[in-house]
Amino acid sequence: MTNPDPHPVELQKVDETSLKIIWSDGVSTGITWKALREKCPCAACREESNKPLDPFRVLKPAELLPLKPVRFTPTGNYAYKVDWSDGHASGIYSIKYLREICTQP
Ligand SMILES: [Zn+2]
């Protein structure tokens, strides 16, 4: 390990539910869309995940639809912005963060 900050060299859609990232240090990791969305780093999602679930809440598209990303946009050299099929697009996933949350082989 000479490079302390591996970067993605390839993003691949594995199937309808998950993403695979091949990293510059040769490691490949995966994550499901569901997990990716649950880890959305934007302020709104973080606030949402800290609240207890209200049984009388209105179910949002995010809870009803088979969510998937519709676009990954590189942001600078350090992050990806992910646009989701329900229109949510405020999550900026830093490369460091992606490496942390993509834990499946
Ligand atoms: Zn979000």
Side-chain angles (χ1 to χ4, degrees):
M1 291 284 170
T2 49
N3 187 347
D5 291 317
H7 56 272
V9 288
E10 198 173 339
L11 300 175
Q12 286 172 355
K13 191 182 108 168
V14 180
D15 51 31
E16 290 310 312
T17 61
S18 58
L19 173 78
K20 181 176 165 188
I21 303 178
I22 299 171
W23 298 85
S24 55
D25 58 357
V27 172
S28 70
T29 60
I31 189 165
T32 61
W33 302 142
K34 190 168 184 286
L36 188 68
R37 176 58 179 258
E38 279 166 5
K39 309 263 183 194
C40 179
C42 84
C45 289
R46 289 193 160 204
E47 197 171 298
E48 198 67 30
S49 67
N50 287 333
K51 274 191 261 173
L53 280 185
D54 173 2
F56 296 107
R57 73 195 189 285
V58 176
L59 287 171
K60 290 174 302 216
E63 294 171 89
L64 298 169
L65 294 170
L67 276 181
K68 57 187 178 194
V70 290
R71 184 178 298 162
F72 266 73
T73 315
T75 304
N77 276 327
Y78 69 93
Y80 288 92
K81 179 165 102 63
V82 181
D83 291 24
W84 293 88
S85 50
D86 66 342
H88 187 67
S90 45
I92 309 271
Y93 294 73
S94 75
I95 284 168
K96 210 172 165 189
Y97 184 58
L98 274 177
R99 176 73 177 223
E100 249 173 65
I101 62 173
C102 295
T103 48
Q104 297 171 18

